[in-house]
Amino acid sequence: MSTRTDRHRSNAVGAGLPIVATAVQVWRGETGVLRGVDLAIRRGSRMFVIGPNGAGKSTLLRVLHGLVEPTQGTLRWGDATRAPRSQAMVFQRPVLLRRSAAANVRYALACFGIRGADAAVRTAEVLHAVGLAHLARRSARVLSGGEQQRLALARAWALEPEVLFLDEPTASLDPGATRDVEAIVRDIHARGTTIVMTTHNLAQARRLADEVVYMQAGVATEQTPAEVFFTKPRSPEGAAFLESERT
Amino acid sequence: MRKNCIELHSGATFCSRTLPLPTLSESLALAVRLVTDLDPKVLAIVLLSLRVSLLSTIASALLGLPLGALIAIARFRGRGGVVAVLNALMGLPPVVVGLLVYLMLSRAGPLGGWGVLFTPTAMVVAQTVLITPLVAALSRQIVEDAWNELQEQLNSLRAGLGRRIATLLWDTRYALATVVLAGFGRAASEVGAVIIVGGNIDGVTRVMTTAIALETSKGDLPLALALGFVLITLVLAINLAAQSLREWARMRFG
């Protein structure tokens, strides 16, 4: 697989990194889902967003990916004020079209103007990379949960995104399928994509993260290197969370 | 020819002691003969029915499916009202549709210059008006369910409006096919619209439903029954096809 191509760089509105969020809030009626988030995502990081249920992790990812407009605050993606096209997202539950595995990947490529022989080659590459080449013609929706999530990753990977957002991609997978997904995430990162991922699985975050953002009640209480967070978290909320997970 | 015998259009002769008014069982037997012998008159009426209903179904699908998809994903002020009206239009009485189309196509109407009143074209127009709301309303519901499922992913892929509609229509193609089949079934079964705009002219605008109505009123049951057999078979076949398609698609695509 090639590293990110100039074609995708040109798809971005300027360079899409770093992503800087300043005092970002998202309110749904009277409920503050995000109550003031400040963070910066640098190129090349493997950032994990962790925290209890309802902390706002999924909403934060959607805001950073441009799927949700913040109610207040500012976001910049490099020089741009709108989320660039050079991003991709994998959801907790894979969302696949009623067509074959290969056709799902080709569809995503077509959305970015890549068709014909280029699309066929890239589709074959990513399906091979995630171990689904033998299921290329199988209908995507009859694949197992782990296979569907690998296909969703392949689809995102085919776009060679600058940033890949993953919203708890292994939450409903067995340990074997989880290992497969983690290996693919490592490969994608190794080829130059910045990773931003949410998880409930602290062991997974320990394995994969180089940077951690801890969120609670809609606020990012700290953003620290992973080894610092897991040994001596800077925020009392982060420390309390780690302690509660240990007991 | 003896007075208690009649000659069928196929050339065969049917005799009964009770002719010219056969009993119900004799009418049924004659009706079966008309169908199995492919009676030319029966055949002509059936083919005209199929032609009119197929054309109107195609037209309503071309209009109704994209309209339903657009309403499914668009968000605008008054959308709830539009959906309510669309659902209400599913229950349009066929005779009212026939009356409205008649007024449009009559010489005094705005489209009188087309000169299509009392022709199969007018019948196609009337049936299209009748079943387009049905196709649009049912497809709106199906596409909206799919949109709720695919919306975030399509937004993530930055798909434009045209691509979204095309994707949703393709992804729900088997469910939408059953909607189109339902539209065809409604068109083939209705009598009110086509009898007003078509006039039930023998050999020109007489379809199965209008022929059944006429022949029954005349007491000529064999032809009415023969056409009734064909119509029921058609409706059953359509429903069977729709059910089979749903099951096959569920097994194949999940």
Side-chain angles (χ1 to χ4, degrees), chain A residues 102-242:
Chain A
N104 269 271
V105 178
R106 285 197 301 270
Y107 175 85
L109 290 169
C111 289
F112 284 75
I114 303 169
R115 292 182 178 83
D118 280 351
V121 167
R122 198 167 305 178
T123 299
E125 283 180 342
V126 294
L127 288 179
H128 178 75
V130 303
L132 292 179
H134 63 296
L135 297 175
R137 293 188 174 194
R138 187 78 57 86
S139 175
R141 291 201 176 201
V142 303
L143 300 178
S144 69
E147 288 167 343
Q148 288 191 358
Q149 199 61 292
R150 281 191 278 153
L151 177 58
L153 276 166
R155 179 177 58 189
W157 196 357
L159 304 177
E160 297 182 321
E162 244 185 333
V163 185
L164 176 60
F165 298 97
L166 303 111
D167 188 10
E168 300 199 46
T170 61
S172 54
L173 301 183
D174 61 43
T178 297
R179 276 196 300 275
D180 291 340
V181 168
E182 290 181 6
I184 295 167
V185 172
R186 281 199 194 88
D187 280 346
I188 294 174
H189 177 260
R191 294 178 198 274
T193 297
T194 300
I195 301 293
V196 182
M197 182 163 155
T198 65
T199 187
H200 276 125
N201 187 333
L202 287 185
Q204 182 177 70
R206 282 177 207 269
R207 285 193 295 272
L208 294 178
D210 60 18
E211 193 170 20
V212 168
V213 170
Y214 178 75
M215 288 198 63
Q216 185 163 313
V219 178
T221 64
E222 69 180 284
Q223 177 176 356
T224 52
E227 65 268 19
V228 172
F229 179 80
F230 288 112
T231 53
K232 197 171 181 181
R234 291 175 184 162
S235 66
E237 295 88 350
F241 179 75
L242 286 180

Side-chain angles (χ1 to χ4, degrees), chain B residues 216-227:
Chain B
T216 305
S217 70
K218 282 162 49 181
D220 189 352
L221 295 184
L223 182 56
L225 284 168
L227 293 171

Side-chain angles (χ1 to χ4, degrees), chain A residues 62 65 67 83-85 87 89 91 95 97-99 107 110-111 115 139 141-142 155, chain B residues 149-150 152-159 163-164 167 170-173 251-254:
Chain A
R62 282 159 173 77
H65 188 36
L67 299 183
R85 290 169 63 82
Q87 297 179 347
M89 185 157 179
F91 300 91
V95 179
L97 302 176
R98 278 187 179 83
R99 49 191 83 182
Y107 175 85
C111 289
R115 292 182 178 83
S139 175
R141 291 201 176 201
V142 303
R155 179 177 58 189
Chain B
E149 186 186 351
L150 299 178
E152 277 200 318
Q153 185 63 60
L154 293 179
N155 287 344
S156 174
L157 292 173
R158 319 296 194 218
R163 182 180 291 278
R164 289 173 195 206
T167 301
W170 182 250
D171 219 55
T172 56
R173 56 196 179 280
M251 287 186 56
R252 173 87 168 82
F253 296 101

